[in-house]
Structures are given as C-alpha cells and as structure tokens.
Amino acid sequence: MKQTTFASQAFDGKKKLTRRERFLAEMDAVVPWSTLLAVIEPHYPKAGRRGRPPMPLETMLRIYFMQ
C-alpha cells in the first residue's frame, strides 16, 4: 500500500485534467450505465462454456461507447 503525503495530496488537487479524463467524466455523467447494463445483461454471453471467457459486460459497453 502506498502512503500519501501532504505534498502529493496538495498536488493532486491542483493537477490539470487531461482531455481523456474530462471526456470520461462527461461520459459517466451523461450515459445511464445501470439502465443499459440491466437491458443488455440477459443477452450477454455467460462464463462457463468452453473457450475464452467473455470480457465483463460493463467494460465492453464502455469500449463500444468510446468508439
């Protein structure tokens, strides 16, 4: 576990947001993730079958929206 110092806490508050961080924050505010996950989850493939296990649904949904 990494211990934070007073200097690092002060720097974290003053750090400039990157375009990526601003975009992801805006996407989290705009997209109703829980509603979309509830609609898609019954149709998403489940683990336990042969082959490679599927990626988590929330991860895949976020990737599709970023594209």
Side-chain angles (χ1 to χ4, degrees):
M1 183 167 102
K2 185 177 178 184
Q3 184 175 0
T4 58
T5 62
F6 289 120
S8 66
Q9 288 178 350
F11 179 73
D12 288 341
K14 295 180 181 181
K15 183 181 142 193
K16 182 178 178 183
L17 287 176
T18 61
R19 287 191 307 172
R20 177 186 297 164
E21 290 170 336
R22 277 187 278 141
F23 172 75
L24 292 176
E26 185 178 339
M27 193 167 76
D28 281 339
V30 173
V31 178
W33 294 113
S34 57
T35 307
L36 288 173
L37 291 173
V39 170
I40 297 172
E41 189 173 15
H43 307 286
Y44 196 72
K46 307 285 188 250
R49 294 184 179 166
R50 294 184 191 175
R52 178 180 289 175
M55 296 223 12
L57 173 59
E58 188 171 359
T59 304
M60 289 303 296
L61 191 61
R62 286 176 185 269
I63 290 171
Y64 287 138
F65 271 79
M66 283 192 298
Q67 288 179 351

